[in-house]
């Protein structure tokens, strides 16, 4: 088996497994060996489920050998953010207090991955409570593009594992940008589906009305495959949407002729890093070449929405952590504690005003999507910062400019690599669509990806034979 098999896409690997060219057991053991070699320095995994993964790989191999294929993920090793319950395994949610509490039942998203025949390698690191910072006792994941740079929060482990070739696909969650921040910082593809498109049953909540679960992969086609598997109604989660789930993989065969892409150039650039926003705006030429129509628009969002998001998130997070906080405050990082302390202290009028602003935004976006099919923005409008820096409130607002509005509205988004800054860090574009328009986003993201070669670049630390631990 070739030494760089970890760089196959999930789609390519699934095809080779189905054709009996590669054994699920061989590839799983190769991935486990790679994790053992690189993860002591990259810190992507909270726990590696070695025995479970090998057993799943053996079962997949037997089923495929006897003509019982389950689909394109059958035998493909993946990993999930440590908010997703797996029966018998603790879900730490990035905290210290939950490390000794095994889950009683597996989350719906993991059940669906396993039903599709995927091999679950383990659970991936995140910030404390899926909020802003990692607990001091946690080894912070290391960006495989540059060990001195931020990996994004809170799905830092999924971003690092996916970019580092430590899994073929992963699941993250997004409440204020936590699929999109690490996708941008680590140079991978992330889909934040429409709110409710993917069940949250068995996924530890942060702010339930803002929480989204979605795939993080190295290509758009892989993300489409994973989303097809995990999406859909769920009796365990009454908020999961009952709309039929299309085969999102078919969207990658769609063209962009006539697609209307809205761009608010001022919003996309004002006060932001010109190098990053320049790379994103340069994608207009690629989309136009592919047949899309660029339409100037004014997005009904502003940086004050970050305060709207903070009010709703803090109040809901306080409810999510009731019974754990403040009794176990030391189990959380300092900024996370600050958010949990702020939630109960919010006046009802502040929460009501935030809710009204949220409804207004959703209505205005729905009106905007009558004239365009997708919006194009940076995923993050600032260069990936050095680790250990404490952003000012102004910088924080600008970094969340393109993420929190679409958690508030529940709109689907896709983040796709779109170049590199002069210091070698990935840049990322974001496409936003109307509710349940994931197929349109996948078609546009895939077409752009295939017209460029950014997704073929490899993070330098992930190609090292060994790293200092």
């Amino acid at each position: 088996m070739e030494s760089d098999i970890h760089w196959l896409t999930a789609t390519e690997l699934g095809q080779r497994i189905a054709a009996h060219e590669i054994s699920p057991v061989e590839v799983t053991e190769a991935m486990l060996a790679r994790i053992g070699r690189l993860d002591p320095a990259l810190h992507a995994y909270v726990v590696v489920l070695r025995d479970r993964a090998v057993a799943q790989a053996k079962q997949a191999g037997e089923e495929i050998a006897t003509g019982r294929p389950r689909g394109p993920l059958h035998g493909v090793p993946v990993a999930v953010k440590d908010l997703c319950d797996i029966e018998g395994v603790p879900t730490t949610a990035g905290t210290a207090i939950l490390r000794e509490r095994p889950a009683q039942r597996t989350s719906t998203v993991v059940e669906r991955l396993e039903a599709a025949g995927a091999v679950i390698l383990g659970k991936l690191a995140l910030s404390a409570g899926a909020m802003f910072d990692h607990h001091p006792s946690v080894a912070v994941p290391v960006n495989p593009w540059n060990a001195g740079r931020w990996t994004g929060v809170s799905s830092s482990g999924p971003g690092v594992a996916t970019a580092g070739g430590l899994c073929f696909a992963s699941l993250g969650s997004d409440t204020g940008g936590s699929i999109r921040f690490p996708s941008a910082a680590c140079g991978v593809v992330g889909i934040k589906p429409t709110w409710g498109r993917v069940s949250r049953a068995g996924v530890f909540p942060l702010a339930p009305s803002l929480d989204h679960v979605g795939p993080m992969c190295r290509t758009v086609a892989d993300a489409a495959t994973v989303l097809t598997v995990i999406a859909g109604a769920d009796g365990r989660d009454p908020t999961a949407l009952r709309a039929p789930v299309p085969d999102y993989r078919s969207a990658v065969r769609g063209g962009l002729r006539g697609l209307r892409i809205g761009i608010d150039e001022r919003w996309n650039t004002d006060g932001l890093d010109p190098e990053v926003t320049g790379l994103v705006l340069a994608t207009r030429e690629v989309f136009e070449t592919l047949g899309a129509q660029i339409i100037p628009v004014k997005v009904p969002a502003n940086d004050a929405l970050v305060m709207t998001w903070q009010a709703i998130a803090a109040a809901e997070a306080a409810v999510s952590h009731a019974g754990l906080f403040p009794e176990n405050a030391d189990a959380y990082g300092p900024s996370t504690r600050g958010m949990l302390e702020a939630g109960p202290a919010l006046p009802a009028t502040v929460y009501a005003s935030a809710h009204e602003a949220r409804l207004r935004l959703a209505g205005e976006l729905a009106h905007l999507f009558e004239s365009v099919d997708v919006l194009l923005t940076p995923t993050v409008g600032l260069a990936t910062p050095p680790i250990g820096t404490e952003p000012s409130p102004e910088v924080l607002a600008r970094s969340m400019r393109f993420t929190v509005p679409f958690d508030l509205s529940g709109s689907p988004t896709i983040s796709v690599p779109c170049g590199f800054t002069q210091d070698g860090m990935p840049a990322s574009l974001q496409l936003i669509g109307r509710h349940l328009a994931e197929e349109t986003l996948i078609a546009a993201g895939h077409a752009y990806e295939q017209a460029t070669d950014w997704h073929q670049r490899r993070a330098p630390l992930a190609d090292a034979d060994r790293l200092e631990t």
Side-chain angles (χ1 to χ4, degrees):
M1 187 168 60
E2 59 265 42
S3 60
D4 61 350
I5 191 168
H6 49 275
W7 290 133
L8 290 178
T9 68
T11 301
E12 292 167 340
L13 177 63
Q15 292 169 344
R16 293 182 63 173
I17 288 174
H20 308 286
E21 297 174 6
I22 298 175
S23 153
V25 172
E26 288 178 324
V27 72
T28 297
E29 289 179 340
M31 292 300 288
L32 290 169
R34 179 172 170 82
I35 292 167
R37 187 171 71 253
L38 296 185
D39 198 57
L42 292 178
H43 307 308
Y45 279 83
V46 173
V47 60
V48 178
L49 302 174
R50 178 177 298 276
D51 292 345
R52 182 189 183 100
V54 171
Q56 289 178 335
K58 288 179 179 178
Q59 180 180 346
E62 292 168 359
E63 290 173 343
I64 292 166
T66 54
R68 293 176 289 160
R70 299 195 193 188
L73 290 182
H74 203 177
V76 175
V78 304
V80 300
K81 184 175 180 177
D82 193 23
L83 290 177
C84 303
D85 285 348
I86 295 177
E87 183 179 356
V89 180
T91 297
T92 72
T95 71
I97 191 62
L98 298 174
R99 292 175 185 169
E100 306 301 325
R101 300 186 186 183
Q104 299 301 303
R105 182 175 176 179
T106 298
S107 57
T108 294
V109 287
V110 174
E111 286 180 344
R112 289 177 175 173
L113 286 172
E114 291 180 330
V119 173
I120 309 298
L121 292 170
K123 303 183 78 177
L124 299 167
L126 68 154
S127 52
M131 297 191 211
F132 299 118
D133 53 14
H134 294 81
H135 188 265
S137 66
V138 172
V140 179
V142 173
N143 194 318
W145 291 97
N146 184 323
R149 296 298 183 91
W150 190 52
T151 54
V153 290
S154 64
S155 305
S156 50
V160 170
T162 304
L166 301 181
C167 62
F168 290 92
S170 63
L171 293 187
S173 68
D174 193 307
T175 304
S178 296
I179 286 173
R180 290 162 291 169
F181 288 142
S183 292
C186 297
V188 300
V189 173
I191 294 179
K192 181 189 79 67
T194 304
W195 187 84
R197 177 79 283 191
V198 175
S199 170
R200 293 176 291 108
V203 178
F204 192 91
L206 172 50
S209 77
L210 299 167
D211 291 348
H212 304 66
V213 179
M216 297 172 65
C217 302
R218 290 196 292 274
T219 68
V220 174
D222 287 356
T225 298
V226 174
L227 183 60
T228 302
V229 167
I230 65 174
D234 179 19
R236 295 172 61 191
D237 178 2
T239 69
L241 300 176
R242 302 188 64 82
V245 178
D247 184 348
Y248 291 114
R249 296 174 301 165
S250 63
V252 304
R253 295 190 288 272
L256 300 192
R257 182 67 55 187
L259 182 76
R260 301 170 299 171
I261 299 179
I263 297 180
D264 184 337
E265 186 160 348
R266 180 174 180 180
W267 191 56
N268 280 4
T269 58
D270 190 21
L272 302 177
D273 186 312
E275 185 180 15
V276 173
T277 58
L279 288 168
V280 174
L281 289 176
T283 68
R284 289 180 298 192
E285 297 178 6
V286 177
F287 282 113
E288 287 179 320
T289 300
L290 293 169
Q293 178 185 3
I294 305 300
I295 299 176
V297 297
K298 181 173 175 55
V299 176
N302 55 59
D303 291 353
L305 285 172
V306 174
M307 298 301 294
T308 297
W309 176 88
Q310 287 177 334
I312 295 171
E316 294 190 13
V319 175
S320 297
H321 288 261
L324 296 173
F325 189 90
E327 293 84 352
N328 302 288
D330 289 344
Y332 297 86
S335 2
T336 299
R337 287 198 300 270
M339 186 173 181
L340 291 175
E341 289 165 353
L346 279 172
T349 52
V350 172
Y351 185 85
S353 295
H355 183 62
E356 181 183 3
R358 181 183 193 177
L359 292 175
R360 186 184 308 113
L361 170 67
E364 291 173 340
L365 283 172
H367 178 70
L368 177 59
F369 281 120
E370 293 176 0
S371 59
V372 298
D373 300 304
V374 299
L375 295 174
L376 170 65
T377 75
T379 298
V380 182
L382 302 174
T384 304
I387 55 175
T389 58
E390 187 69 26
S392 68
E394 293 78 14
V395 169
L396 185 63
R398 292 200 297 273
S399 66
M400 300 177 79
R401 175 183 294 180
F402 305 114
T403 59
V404 299
F406 308 111
D407 284 307
L408 289 166
S409 67
S411 306
T413 73
I414 187 169
S415 297
V416 181
C418 68
F420 289 83
T421 59
Q422 290 185 354
D423 59 1
M425 294 304 296
S428 176
L429 66 85
Q430 177 179 227
L431 299 171
I432 306 102
R434 61 178 63 89
H435 284 209
L436 296 177
E438 285 85 356
E439 287 175 287
T440 301
L441 300 180
I442 288 166
H446 177 75
Y448 173 81
E449 177 186 80
Q450 295 305 300
T452 60
D453 66 355
W454 310 122
H455 63 292
Q456 297 174 0
R457 306 286 182 93
R458 300 293 173 236
L461 296 184
D463 268 337
D465 289 333
R466 60 177 56 87
L467 297 171
E468 294 183 5
T469 59

